[in-house]
Amino acid sequence: MKSLQDHLTEYIAARRALGTRLQEPAQTLRRFIAFLARKDATHITTRLALEWSQQSQGVQRATWARKLSMVRQFARWINAIEPRHEIPPRGLLDVRHRRNPPHIYSDEEIARLMTAAAGLALCQGMKALNLETLIGLLAATGLRPGEASALEIDDVDLQNGVLIIRESKFGKSRHVPIHPSTVAALKHYAHRRDQIFRNPCSTYFFVSDRGTALDLGRVRQWFCKISRACGLRKKVEGHRCGRGPRLQDLRHTFATKRMVEWYRSGCNVAVQMPKLATYLGHSSVGCTYWYIQAVPELLELATEFQLTSRQGGRP
């Protein structure tokens, strides 16, 4: 009879063979398997899955639901092989999906975050270098944090200034052109990384202190720490990271700033929008239009543009 760890290894390999990176779920499920081992459990039960998913305190209920969803998918797969494993039913945590209004970072706030990240340089290893470079990359490209952390060395074409995003959300792949300043920053990172790891043990572009793939959960913890130091996140009793802007909001900032620039310059945003949707890897242009209703300044500009267009003038 195979161990849970053996099943997980096969599950990850099978999902990746189908084109899914599965980086964050793989790390999350490894922690779940370790939890089951501490409980001396030989199979998955709904009770243990629910207990584990709610261990993290001071996080949103949606975070619990996301972790439980990862376990559910794995349990469904392993149940087909060994029926004794229970599949946690849907709706246990009764979480409705809500998109919170994004925080749009100012250029000054992004600069403060990168300075604070660089200030972690007294720490040994890759921590400061990773965080400073990731913040700059997300702000300059609008990548999803998971897309950036999943980049492999061969996906980063610094000669031509292009990133290859493979099989990301919705199974979409795309090429992302990057600015020369971003190319320079990534070259600096790669040079420093290669100095530290002369014999690389990973194909990932961004690596941990051990030279392995980054744990995005840890990156978010680092980001929360420097956000509090910058005054961007407020301390909340019982909440580990406090509340405030997120790493994901750098993506929202990138998209919003592009649209604001278009409206202010009098561009036909309807024509430009499909380009932005493709660049961001959205499943449809409708996902990109969400920013107009989520960001007050964009809604005001869009309304002004529409009124002026109807009057036959320019904004």
Side-chain angles (χ1 to χ4, degrees):
M1 185 178 296
K2 294 181 180 178
S3 68
L4 283 167
Q5 184 59 57
D6 288 338
H7 279 300
L8 179 58
T9 299
E10 291 182 359
Y11 172 72
I12 294 171
R15 291 288 304 275
R16 287 177 174 167
L18 295 173
T20 305
R21 287 296 182 92
L22 211 72
Q23 185 177 352
E24 184 178 4
Q27 294 169 343
T28 299
L29 289 171
R30 289 189 185 102
R31 289 193 285 269
F32 175 59
I33 296 302
F35 167 81
L36 292 180
R38 292 194 296 273
K39 293 287 186 176
D40 293 323
T42 58
H43 62 283
I44 298 172
T45 67
T46 297
R47 179 183 63 80
L48 287 174
L50 196 58
E51 178 184 342
W52 174 78
S53 65
Q54 296 178 92
Q55 276 189 326
S56 300
Q57 298 301 310
V59 300
Q60 294 183 5
R61 193 176 178 86
T63 300
W64 294 348
R66 187 174 71 251
K67 292 170 66 176
L68 186 59
S69 175
M70 294 176 189
V71 172
R72 183 183 300 110
Q73 292 184 56
F74 174 53
R76 185 182 297 115
W77 184 85
I78 196 175
N79 173 267
I81 302 170
E82 295 183 14
R84 64 178 182 148
H85 295 280
E86 297 178 10
I87 304 173
R90 293 181 178 276
L92 282 178
L93 294 175
D94 189 28
V95 176
R96 296 182 179 179
H97 179 69
R98 294 182 301 171
R99 297 188 71 174
N100 295 324
H103 175 83
I104 305 305
Y105 292 98
S106 66
D107 292 342
E108 185 269 338
E109 286 176 336
I110 294 173
R112 280 162 53 197
L113 286 170
M114 293 184 69
T115 299
L120 298 172
L122 294 178
C123 301
Q124 296 181 349
M126 300 289 293
K127 184 176 180 179
L129 184 60
N130 275 324
L131 191 54
E132 181 185 12
T133 308
L134 278 170
I135 290 172
L137 179 62
L138 298 182
T141 63
L143 292 181
R144 299 177 178 95
E147 292 173 342
S149 64
L151 285 169
E152 297 193 11
I153 293 174
D154 290 342
D155 297 333
V156 182
D157 183 351
L158 297 179
Q159 182 174 352
N160 295 306
V162 175
L163 304 179
I164 303 173
I165 309 300
R166 303 182 189 275
E167 296 292 338
S168 186
K169 195 172 182 180
F170 311 112
K172 296 171 70 70
S173 297
R174 67 189 191 280
H175 288 71
V176 176
I178 54 178
H179 191 272
S181 62
T182 304
V183 171
L186 294 179
K187 283 183 177 179
H188 172 72
Y189 176 90
H191 177 70
R192 292 277 305 278
R193 178 201 63 209
D194 294 345
Q195 283 183 320
I196 296 172
F197 300 102
R198 297 190 179 279
N199 297 307
C201 58
S202 170
T203 60
Y204 287 103
F205 185 82
F206 292 104
V207 296
S208 68
D209 289 343
R210 295 175 296 173
T212 56
L214 278 182
D215 183 333
L216 201 53
R218 288 187 178 277
V219 173
R220 290 193 174 104
Q221 289 175 13
W222 302 341
F223 184 78
C224 289
K225 179 179 179 180
I226 65 168
S227 295
R228 288 200 304 269
C230 291
L232 294 177
R233 292 183 73 91
K234 297 179 180 179
K235 291 184 178 181
V236 177
E237 186 176 352
H239 196 291
R240 181 175 56 187
C241 293
R243 296 194 184 280
R246 308 160 301 161
L247 198 61
Q248 176 76 10
D249 286 330
L250 289 166
R251 173 175 169 84
H252 300 322
T253 299
F254 173 87
T256 299
K257 286 184 175 180
R258 297 295 81 72
M259 295 168 70
V260 167
E261 289 172 1
W262 289 338
Y263 276 117
R264 286 179 173 169
S265 64
C267 286
N268 188 333
V269 178
V271 172
Q272 301 296 330
M273 198 68 81
K275 301 176 185 177
L276 181 58
T278 300
Y279 189 89
L280 291 172
H282 282 161
S283 59
S284 69
V285 177
C287 295
T288 316
Y289 271 109
W290 170 76
Y291 291 105
I292 292 179
Q293 65 180 15
V295 180
E297 182 183 5
L298 263 178
L299 181 58
E300 182 179 344
L301 286 169
T303 303
E304 179 184 345
F305 182 87
Q306 291 295 328
L307 289 174
T308 307
S309 298
R310 289 172 185 172
Q311 295 169 2
R314 288 181 59 83

